[in-house]
Amino acid sequence: MEHYRIQPEPIDVASYLPWLEDPACGGQAVFVGVVRAEFEGRPSVGLEYDAYVPLAERTMAAIGGELRREFGVRHVVMVHRVGRLRVGEAAVLVAVAAPHRAEAFAACRAGIDRLKARVPIFKRELWADGTSAWHGEPGGPPAEVPRP
């Protein structure tokens, strides 16, 4: 099975694990990226994500196809949040199932690396001092702006 989704709702990791079940797969690898309490040495209170959803989900599906071909993965799940997230909340889930653990680990790592590099998701860091900055914005480096 495959599942690629951009969603505003919290990511319920356990609800996606059944998508990986397959008696032919001896390896499942799961990566959950969570919002951390600091960025670039500055205290952070959270993140805001935005995305061009149709293109983001198509790009995630293309990456999933690559993982299936390159690593022999049988099942792929990729989910990313949009909206405001607090420290500790899950922002992204990449999960795969493959016949063997080595391929599952390699595919999961490649999946998150490719998602971060290619999927059109934009991140706004929300610092504790009330400032914020967008990252991943087209047209150059993000500029620090006051947080509303």
Side-chain angles (χ1 to χ4, degrees):
M1 292 185 158
E2 295 181 83
H3 185 76
Y4 309 101
R5 184 150 190 253
I6 302 293
Q7 66 182 45
E9 304 85 19
I11 298 172
D12 178 4
V13 175
S15 72
Y16 289 106
L17 297 181
W19 289 71
L20 304 178
E21 293 175 6
D22 184 333
C25 292
Q28 296 178 354
V30 177
F31 173 81
V32 180
V34 298
V35 178
R36 61 183 176 266
E38 70 84 24
F39 182 73
E40 296 179 347
R42 296 173 64 182
S44 178
V45 296
L47 295 172
E48 181 178 348
Y49 286 101
D50 198 4
Y52 178 59
V53 175
L55 181 57
E57 290 178 343
R58 279 196 310 270
T59 305
M60 290 162 67
I63 292 168
E66 294 168 9
L67 301 178
R68 292 170 71 88
R69 287 187 302 277
E70 293 173 32
F71 299 97
V73 168
R74 294 176 56 97
H75 307 286
V76 180
V77 173
M78 291 184 176
V79 181
H80 203 295
R81 288 275 309 269
V82 291
R84 285 195 177 212
L85 285 72
R86 295 182 316 269
V87 170
E89 287 190 276
V92 61
L93 166 69
V94 175
V96 301
H100 304 284
R101 71 179 178 273
E103 290 82 359
F105 280 127
C108 191
R109 181 177 186 131
I112 187 61
D113 289 347
R114 293 174 192 185
L115 184 151
K116 298 292 280 179
R118 294 176 22 206
V119 178
I121 297 171
F122 308 103
K123 176 175 80 171
R124 181 174 155 187
E125 194 70 39
L126 305 172
W127 283 293
D129 67 5
T131 59
S132 67
W134 283 98
H135 300 274
E137 191 170 41
E144 198 166 311
V145 295
R147 188 170 68 223

